[in-house]
Amino acid sequence: MEIAKTIIEQIKFADKWALMAYGSSNFMALPESKEYQGGLQFQCSGFKHKGTVRIQLKWIDTYTISFISKKGEIIKEVNDVYCDMLVDILDWIEGK
């Protein structure tokens, strides 16, 4: 839960309107696993991407961002993202 809150704070720090601009809703904390410390998942109804966004923190302190269609298929995945790059990657997918 703490990691999910931190991700939201990092996104809001970079751009306080970003999550609202992406049409984000249904936020969910992701549990720890072998590959990840945890993460955040939310629904997105943005301009280009409509589906799920999953942001997971790797044990080496970088993020993996997955863009998942409404059918559950991974459309795009970006690895080795640093916290200061989160909004840039999300904006890039949204075509901003």
Side-chain angles (χ1 to χ4, degrees), residues 58 60 62-65 78-82 85:
K58 291 183 184 176
I60 57 171
T62 60
Y63 292 105
T64 297
I65 304 176
V78 183
N79 292 298
D80 301 323
V81 176
Y82 292 97
M85 299 165 56

Side-chain angles (χ1 to χ4, degrees), residues 5-87:
K5 288 179 183 178
T6 300
I7 294 169
I8 290 171
E9 288 172 9
Q10 289 170 337
I11 292 171
K12 286 183 177 181
F13 181 79
D15 182 350
K16 66 180 180 178
W17 301 108
L19 291 171
M20 190 170 78
Y22 308 141
S24 304
S25 64
N26 300 329
F27 293 91
M28 182 175 78
L30 298 173
E32 183 179 308
S33 69
K34 279 186 175 182
E35 292 182 53
Y36 301 105
Q37 293 184 43
L40 173 71
Q41 179 172 300
F42 57 90
Q43 297 302 308
C44 177
S45 60
F47 181 66
K48 287 192 174 184
H49 179 69
K50 292 175 180 28
T52 302
V53 175
R54 184 180 299 146
I55 304 171
Q56 295 174 289
L57 179 62
K58 291 183 184 176
W59 290 101
I60 57 171
D61 280 342
T62 60
Y63 292 105
T64 297
I65 304 176
S66 304
F67 298 89
I68 304 163
S69 72
K70 290 186 177 184
K71 295 178 182 178
E73 301 166 346
I74 294 178
I75 299 168
K76 182 141 190 88
E77 191 166 82
V78 183
N79 292 298
D80 301 323
V81 176
Y82 292 97
C83 65
D84 60 342
M85 299 165 56
L86 286 170
V87 170

